Amino acid sequence: MKKRLGFMLTLVLAFSMLLSACSGGGSSNSEGGSADSGKITLSYWTLFTGGDGENMDALIAEFNKTHPNIEIKNTKLEWAEYYTKLITAVGNGNGPDIGISHTSRLPDLIEQGVVTELDSVADAAGIEWSTYNQNLLNATVVDGKHYAIPIDTHPFIMYYNKKLLQDAGLLGEDGKPVLEQSAEGFVTFLSTLKEKLPANITPFAFESKDHDPFRLWWSLYTQLGGNDIISDDLSKVQLDEAKATQAAQYMQDLYSNGFIKKNDPDFYKTFQSGAGAIMMTGVWATGTWESTNGLEFGAMPIPKIFDQEAAWGDSHTIILPVTKDEDAAKREAAITFADWIADNGQIWAKAGHIPSKPSAIEKQEFKDMDYRSDYVSVADTVKFSKPSTKNWQIRDLAVMKYLNEVWAGKMQPADAVANMQPEIQKVLDQ
Amino acid sequence: MKWMIRLVSMLLALVFVFPLIWMLVVSVKREGMGVTSLLDWFTPPYSLDVYGEVITQTKLTHWIWNSFFVAVCVMILTVLISAMASYAMSKIKFRFKTFMFFFILAGLLIPGEATLIPLYQVAKDVDILNSYEGLIFPVLASPFAIIILKSFFDGVPNDLIESVQIDGGGIWRVFFSIMLPLTRPALASIAILTFIGSWNNFLWPFLSVTDDNLFTLPVGIPTLMDQYTEDYVKPMVINTIASIPIIALFLIFERQIVKGISMSGIKG
Amino acid sequence: MQALIFLLPFLFIYVLFTIWPMIKGVEMSFYKWTLIRKIEYVGLQNYANMLQDSAFWSSVWHSFLFVVLTTPTMIVLAIILALVANRKSRLQKFYRSVFFLPSVLSVAVASYLGLFIFQPYTGLLNSLLHLIGLLPGNEEIFWLSETSLAWIAITLLTLWWTVGFNFILYLSAMQDIPEDIYEAARLDGASDSQIFWQITLPMLGGITRTITMLQIIASFKVFVQIYIMTGGGPLDSTRPVIQYIWQIGFRQNDLGYAAALSYMLFAILLVLSAFQYWLNNRKGE
């Protein structure tokens, strides 16, 4: 009997040791807390990669250096998974102290209860809301409460390779493209590029599906006077079919006329390596091009192809997600960080973004940077989406899906526009 | 005819290894060379710089460790708790045994994929999301292992058990010194299949973990990959580093692995 | 009592993480339920939505299609590979290792290899076709952008990556066939192909049923390689049901609806199992 007890004891011990071995490593809880030596450690989740990521790292390093009491720890998440991970983590109490949100995504995060309102902590930290670009700021205010600190605008613009344009005789004396700002003018411009440049050069380095084509389509649709795709009360699909179709048709022709390399897996690389004459994407590419040796490029607003100047754009904001403890000191440190980032918009602008504080745009450091001033004006003509909680779902589940078929030449623009409307409504009704 | 078969065999083998050879060759190529033809991959310049970069600047090696750690824990614990339960089902008399048998058997019909969504909520309720516990415990219960092991335990003669008991050996002695050694091949088979299953488990780690210190390989790798790239060097370095340990393990334990799989077929 | 001690660790885990979620899901499916919290009771609304959700049903169909594409091809390929590796030759062991090798790769590694093999311009397959002149230099096959080609690519990658397991099962079954049966047949003057069709293949009947059974269920649960290679596109035409449920639950933040869909998935898998059980018993007689 005694023997048996000893054996069982050993067994239980062994089993529990095994269990603790298997969970022992699990104590890597990322929360540093504000425990020792009065230093506040804040976890910060971002969705920035590439040039954006490096600039944000530099900003954080600078902030940590100049603010000895606060330490920001950056976790970079994959862009496509960022919001799912953020909502999930906040939902189970493992969210970060600071996060990033696009303005277009903010209404959804507010409704989900992911973000906290900022007015009291902003007062405590002495944030001057009036120092922000009011257009950007307004998009972050819901029912009179502030929910986010905008740090930039990032519109959709056009880049061009100066050397290739020169070869094609399309670069003016002033170093700007010779391009008539009209529907025919842009096509003529591309045709000339196609004719004059070698066959292995793509006139228009462009994505073949998803985001950038959507952004161009949105830009053209709004240039035609289209006013978002949902009604002002955010409950109904309200797509101007004729305009949406016209914009899609125009773009489908660009694809089918061979101006764009078919299914280009790496359109950034195409432009970067000098194999594409022009390219369109968000301003965040500026920093990448600048750091590319031997790439002589220029930046400009996208051409006014239709009736009025307009372009797709969005804005990055800093948010304070809901956390378990709602530690006031942490929150104050977090909002101090956010305001500091906005103050130092000229550094963030190195990635290509347009700062959210007019004072940052006025700084000599910003003015001394090339390219930015060529497109800083776009900020005024950006057409943001309406503050719907469904913006991203509408785009991902309904609009992009059908437009991709149009770009691939598998669907008529009119059919795609007709098909996407009930799907948008379905998303809105959910 | 003979040489035809030999040729086809060689071709098939080539098709199976070629992607792996390609992966290896591309991974040692220097980055940013603008490859235009397949032959370009197989000509210099070569460089190992990206290996250094990936090892020092990403958490890939840590994720390999996580994957192993989780797989080993899942393997040991699954074998242990399944063997214990199977032993009870096979050799110990108790009330409601038939009910218990069908209760466990029912689990065979509940695929993990169908309970994933509520499992997420349950894991959230018991607060094990984002932890090694959360990666390990929810996948331990395997009715399949119990059914297999029970059939092996059934084959252990009762005389043997009784002779140990006559010598004064308790139930644990019987379990550890008779049952487990006698069914080693079956246990090994379960262990190997469980290890591979855990090694390749994607959905649960993908859903339950948001902290990149806890990522396993299948969840971590996509976060390093840039889908829209024509420069395959870095992705292939990542693939190669991720594959070396498991390929080495396979070559060492090939005989046991092959045996383990064959056995699952006989009983499955 | 003793039995309970031995059963307890398993039962604890089993009830908490298998049985309880199965019940919890019922509650969830009656609510609007997000990643953050329970929102409101909606009764049978989620189930009613499911019946009209064409995207869901087409994702179910895609999973079936994947089963149909992979199961027969998998079995034929596994038998061929096993025949190759079962031949008396110095390379016997080499063949066994080579055919199984891809199966040990992590699912993410295998899927990314698939992506890079089938990518246009620089992908392995198109480069190879260019090199040997089967594809003109200025033309590309867009494997992952056309629905039918995408299915071919996904099927090929899946075969390459997972056939190893079935191959081993066949190989060991072939090695279990007693040598004297072959010898007797050869003495009677049977040719190699006669031996294969009349002796080897019939002797593999049992293992083929087992493999078919496991393969159908396993294939129906496909997700990762499709998710990584095509993301379910183009136009969701390769999106399998597991991906759809995951998107509803986590991308669209609607766990309640996803739970309801999960019960449909459960029902389908149950029917598949029952069908196989019936088939197996009938053939077994």
Side-chain angles (χ1 to χ4, degrees):
Chain A
M1 183 63 208
K2 213 174 149 191
K3 203 169 158 192
R4 195 174 121 192
L5 198 76
F7 192 71
M8 262 186 76
L9 221 73
T10 326
L11 189 91
V12 170
L13 211 71
F15 193 71
S16 58
M17 260 166 67
L18 192 71
L19 282 183
S20 60
C22 281
S23 46
S27 55
S28 82
N29 222 333
S30 56
E31 256 60 59
S34 50
D36 42 298
S37 72
K39 187 162 184 163
I40 298 179
T41 305
L42 299 170
S43 57
Y44 176 34
W45 283 13
T46 58
L47 38 57
F48 303 120
T49 50
D52 274 3
E54 284 161 29
N55 267 298
M56 189 45 87
D57 284 342
L59 274 165
I60 293 168
E62 177 69 19
F63 179 83
N64 285 342
K65 209 168 75 191
T66 52
H67 295 73
N69 307 331
I70 307 175
E71 189 181 359
I72 307 287
K73 284 196 170 151
N74 184 10
T75 302
K76 291 181 191 175
L77 284 103
E78 202 190 352
W79 188 81
E81 291 304 325
Y82 174 79
Y83 285 104
T84 305
K85 291 276 182 204
L86 179 72
I87 295 171
T88 314
V90 171
N92 61 43
N94 291 306
D97 300 308
I98 313 171
I100 292 285
S101 170
H102 288 88
T103 298
S104 60
R105 187 68 191 235
L106 198 58
D108 182 32
L109 294 184
I110 295 170
E111 193 197 59
Q112 297 287 338
V114 171
V115 298
T116 55
E117 59 101 350
L118 303 177
D119 288 295
S120 56
V121 63
D123 284 347
I127 306 297
E128 296 285 344
W129 294 114
S130 59
T131 58
Y132 287 83
N133 174 319
Q134 293 303 303
N135 283 335
L136 296 183
L137 194 66
N138 286 342
T140 64
V141 176
V142 174
D143 296 334
K145 291 182 190 133
H146 289 96
Y147 281 94
I149 303 237
I151 59 170
D152 69 34
T153 352
H154 46 269
F156 185 73
I157 61 165
M158 178 169 136
Y159 298 99
Y160 50 93
N161 183 315
K162 287 188 175 171
K163 206 181 133 294
L164 291 174
L165 258 55
Q166 183 107 53
D167 291 351
L170 289 174
L171 196 69
E173 296 282 313
D174 55 353
K176 303 222 150 76
V178 180
L179 162 60
E180 190 200 304
Q181 303 250 336
S182 71
E184 300 78 33
F186 186 59
V187 170
T188 314
F189 178 76
L190 287 172
S191 311
T192 315
L193 286 171
K194 195 179 172 196
E195 266 168 45
K196 297 269 176 70
L197 294 173
N200 62 348
I201 300 293
T202 303
F204 186 4
F206 201 47
E207 199 170 18
S208 59
K209 59 175 186 179
D210 296 342
H211 291 279
D212 280 341
F214 167 78
R215 291 170 185 140
L216 178 56
W217 173 80
W218 176 277
S219 306
L220 297 183
Y221 173 65
T222 49
Q223 285 191 354
L224 284 163
N227 176 22
D228 207 331
I229 45 193
I230 53 174
S231 60
D232 283 336
D233 68 359
L234 312 178
S235 69
K236 292 262 174 324
V237 54
Q238 195 180 73
L239 187 63
D240 189 325
E241 280 191 46
K243 289 172 177 148
T245 309
Q246 191 184 344
Q249 183 68 57
Y250 185 78
M251 282 176 64
Q252 191 185 45
D253 292 343
L254 297 184
Y255 281 99
S256 61
N257 287 333
F259 299 138
I260 300 165
K261 182 172 162 187
K262 237 187 148 193
N263 292 317
D264 191 346
D266 199 348
F267 58 102
Y268 264 60
K269 186 78 171 297
T270 303
F271 185 74
Q272 196 175 7
S273 63
I278 68 162
M279 108 85 92
M280 291 184 192
T281 191
V283 295
W284 51 79
T286 305
T288 310
W289 306 152
E290 275 177 326
S291 60
T292 305
N293 280 335
L295 180 67
E296 281 176 55
F297 73 100
M300 60 182 273
I302 63 163
K304 195 186 89 175
I305 289 171
F306 294 121
D307 309 339
Q308 61 187 61
E309 280 186 31
W312 175 92
D314 206 338
S315 158
H316 289 125
T317 69
I318 289 182
I319 52 169
L320 305 192
V322 174
T323 54
K324 270 180 188 160
D325 47 0
E326 296 293 328
D327 185 325
K330 274 187 163 191
R331 287 173 57 78
E332 209 175 307
I335 203 161
T336 307
F337 169 72
D339 194 47
W340 185 88
I341 294 279
D343 273 334
N344 289 278
Q346 78 284 356
I347 303 182
W348 183 230
K350 281 181 189 160
H353 305 285
I354 301 171
S356 61
K357 287 201 179 191
S359 60
I361 294 179
E362 291 307 317
K363 285 186 189 170
Q364 198 56 37
E365 232 181 308
F366 180 79
K367 287 182 173 163
D368 287 347
M369 276 189 273
D370 291 328
Y371 314 113
R372 278 84 182 162
S373 41
D374 293 331
Y375 59 71
V376 75
S377 64
V378 184
D380 305 329
T381 56
V382 164
K383 290 286 182 286
F384 291 106
S385 44
K386 292 174 185 171
S388 160
T389 58
K390 309 275 187 170
N391 278 334
W392 281 42
Q393 289 191 32
I394 290 172
R395 187 197 67 197
D396 290 355
L397 301 174
V399 181
M400 253 169 21
K401 190 167 102 176
Y402 286 103
L403 289 179
N404 284 343
E405 294 299 294
V406 175
W407 315 148
K410 291 182 197 155
M411 202 180 252
Q412 288 303 316
D415 295 339
V417 169
N419 275 318
M420 73 173 74
Q421 292 182 74
E423 296 231 8
I424 296 169
Q425 190 60 50
K426 200 177 122 193
V427 171
L428 286 169
D429 290 342
Q430 262 165 14
Chain B
M1 187 59 197
K2 267 264 152 45
W3 67 266
M4 264 287 282
I5 293 179
R6 211 169 284 167
L7 186 75
V8 170
S9 307
M10 283 312 290
L11 271 176
L12 269 173
L14 190 68
V15 168
F16 269 76
V17 283
F18 195 67
L20 295 174
I21 294 173
W22 183 59
M23 166 177 99
L24 202 67
V25 169
V26 173
S27 77
V28 294
K29 185 89 181 155
R30 188 186 292 167
E31 217 175 5
M33 296 308 295
V35 168
T36 51
S37 151
L38 185 61
L39 294 178
D40 291 352
W41 293 116
F42 291 87
T43 45
Y46 292 115
S47 153
L48 288 175
D49 293 352
V50 185
Y51 274 87
E53 187 189 314
V54 167
I55 289 171
T56 54
Q57 290 176 18
T58 71
K59 296 186 174 170
L60 188 65
T61 47
H62 181 61
W63 297 338
I64 295 177
W65 156 249
N66 281 346
S67 276
F68 269 104
F69 178 70
V70 169
V72 167
C73 283
V74 168
M75 177 179 84
I76 294 173
L77 290 174
T78 301
V79 169
L80 190 67
I81 68 172
S82 315
M84 284 171 67
S86 312
Y87 176 55
M89 294 305 293
S90 174
K91 296 292 179 194
I92 304 176
K93 290 197 183 73
F94 61 95
R95 284 206 297 170
F96 309 120
K97 195 166 177 174
T98 323
F99 166 78
M100 190 58 80
F101 185 70
F102 282 105
F103 182 61
I104 294 172
L105 208 60
L108 279 181
L109 296 174
I110 306 179
E113 285 78 359
T115 56
L116 207 65
I117 300 287
L119 176 61
Y120 175 84
Q121 186 64 39
V122 169
K124 184 176 157 185
D125 292 343
V126 299
D127 203 16
I128 54 166
L129 288 173
N130 248 338
S131 69
Y132 284 111
E133 291 92 325
L135 286 172
I136 294 165
F137 286 102
V139 298
L140 292 180
S142 166
F144 175 74
I146 292 191
I147 306 295
I148 293 213
L149 288 178
K150 180 182 175 303
S151 74
F152 275 87
F153 285 167
D154 285 346
V156 175
N158 287 330
D159 313 355
L160 218 63
I161 298 171
E162 279 156 22
S163 70
V164 173
Q165 283 169 337
I166 289 166
D167 284 352
I171 192 161
W172 294 98
R173 263 278 289 289
V174 172
F175 179 65
F176 279 102
S177 59
I178 307 272
M179 302 310 278
L180 293 191
L182 282 180
T183 53
R184 254 205 358 232
L187 295 174
S189 173
I190 299 290
I192 285 163
L193 294 175
T194 310
F195 184 92
I196 296 175
S198 168
W199 178 258
N200 269 333
N201 194 358
F202 177 82
L203 264 173
W204 180 243
F206 181 58
L207 298 185
S208 68
V209 168
T210 44
D211 177 354
D212 64 356
N213 288 313
L214 293 168
F215 281 177
T216 55
L217 266 186
V219 182
I221 286 176
T223 65
L224 298 181
M225 295 287 189
D226 180 4
Q227 222 158 337
Y228 303 102
T229 180
E230 284 187 315
D231 200 338
Y232 297 156
V233 177
K234 197 170 165 198
M236 289 309 191
V237 169
I238 292 164
N239 280 338
T240 308
I241 296 176
S243 304
I244 286 172
I246 190 78
I247 290 181
L249 265 190
F250 163 65
L251 293 176
I252 296 168
F253 291 108
E254 183 171 359
R255 234 163 43 90
Q256 288 84 340
I257 293 172
V258 168
K259 250 198 200 151
I261 294 170
S262 323
M263 191 125 78
S264 76
I266 299 162
K267 289 289 155 187
Chain C
M1 184 54 208
Q2 278 176 334
L4 196 65
I5 292 174
F6 274 82
L7 278 167
L8 207 60
F10 170 80
L11 281 182
F12 178 72
I13 302 261
Y14 180 57
V15 169
L16 184 60
F17 296 121
T18 303
I19 303 297
W20 176 237
M22 205 62 206
I23 298 163
K24 180 80 181 174
V26 178
E27 184 201 356
M28 291 174 74
S29 70
F30 289 132
Y31 283 84
K32 184 166 175 51
W33 192 307
T34 71
L35 290 164
I36 309 262
R37 61 182 190 278
K38 180 155 76 173
I39 305 280
E40 59 182 342
Y41 181 77
V42 295
L44 288 169
Q45 192 57 47
N46 282 328
Y47 290 94
N49 289 347
M50 173 175 77
L51 295 178
Q52 296 179 6
D53 186 348
S54 58
F56 172 68
W57 294 106
S58 67
S59 74
V60 169
W61 158 244
H62 298 146
S63 294
F64 269 114
L65 183 61
F66 182 77
V67 170
V68 172
L69 287 172
T70 52
T71 310
T73 46
M74 182 81 77
I75 286 171
V76 171
L77 183 62
I79 292 178
I80 292 174
L81 297 183
L83 283 173
V84 167
N86 197 32
R87 277 177 63 248
K88 300 267 171 304
S89 114
R90 274 178 303 156
L91 295 175
Q92 209 170 1
K93 267 205 68 181
F94 164 77
Y95 283 128
R96 195 182 67 186
S97 307
V98 160
F99 294 153
F100 190 72
L101 198 58
S103 304
V104 305
L105 297 179
S106 170
V107 54
V109 172
S111 307
Y112 276 104
L113 280 177
L115 181 70
F116 297 140
I117 287 170
F118 292 105
Q119 220 165 38
Y121 301 104
T122 42
L124 178 61
L125 188 56
N126 274 10
S127 318
L128 193 67
L129 293 174
H130 282 145
L131 190 70
I132 58 180
L134 276 179
L135 189 67
N138 54 358
E139 274 178 38
E140 293 292 328
I141 302 177
F142 299 114
W143 291 99
L144 301 172
S145 315
E146 304 282 336
T147 305
S148 46
L149 291 178
W151 278 117
I152 292 174
I154 291 164
T155 306
L156 289 176
L157 186 274
T158 306
L159 290 178
W160 176 74
W161 175 49
T162 60
V163 76
F165 286 91
N166 298 325
F167 153 71
I168 296 284
L169 291 175
Y170 273 119
L171 186 62
S172 67
M174 282 183 191
Q175 284 165 352
D176 284 346
I177 301 176
E179 193 57 31
D180 35 322
I181 300 186
Y182 289 120
E183 274 164 25
R186 280 199 201 95
L187 282 178
D188 289 346
S191 69
D192 279 356
S193 70
Q194 277 174 325
I195 289 180
F196 172 73
W197 291 107
Q198 288 172 18
I199 299 178
T200 316
L201 205 55
M203 298 282 275
L204 297 176
I207 191 71
T208 303
R209 273 197 297 277
T210 307
I211 290 176
T212 313
M213 207 165 99
L214 298 175
Q215 193 58 47
I216 289 178
I217 301 278
S219 292
F220 195 78
K221 299 194 257 188
V222 64
F223 170 56
V224 188
Q225 62 266 48
I226 296 185
Y227 174 61
I228 288 176
M229 285 174 69
T230 68
L235 197 65
D236 298 334
S237 62
T238 59
R239 177 171 63 188
V241 63
I242 304 249
Q243 185 187 342
Y244 186 70
I245 294 178
W246 163 71
Q247 281 182 337
I248 291 288
F250 288 81
R251 276 272 171 84
Q252 297 189 48
N253 199 2
D254 193 347
L255 290 181
Y257 186 37
L261 297 180
S262 297
Y263 283 102
M264 196 61 220
L265 173 67
F266 175 61
I268 292 169
L269 288 169
L270 210 58
V271 169
L272 277 180
S273 309
F275 176 69
Q276 284 168 350
Y277 185 77
W278 172 78
L279 207 67
N280 212 19
N281 274 7
R282 211 186 53 152
K283 271 196 189 157
E285 270 160 24

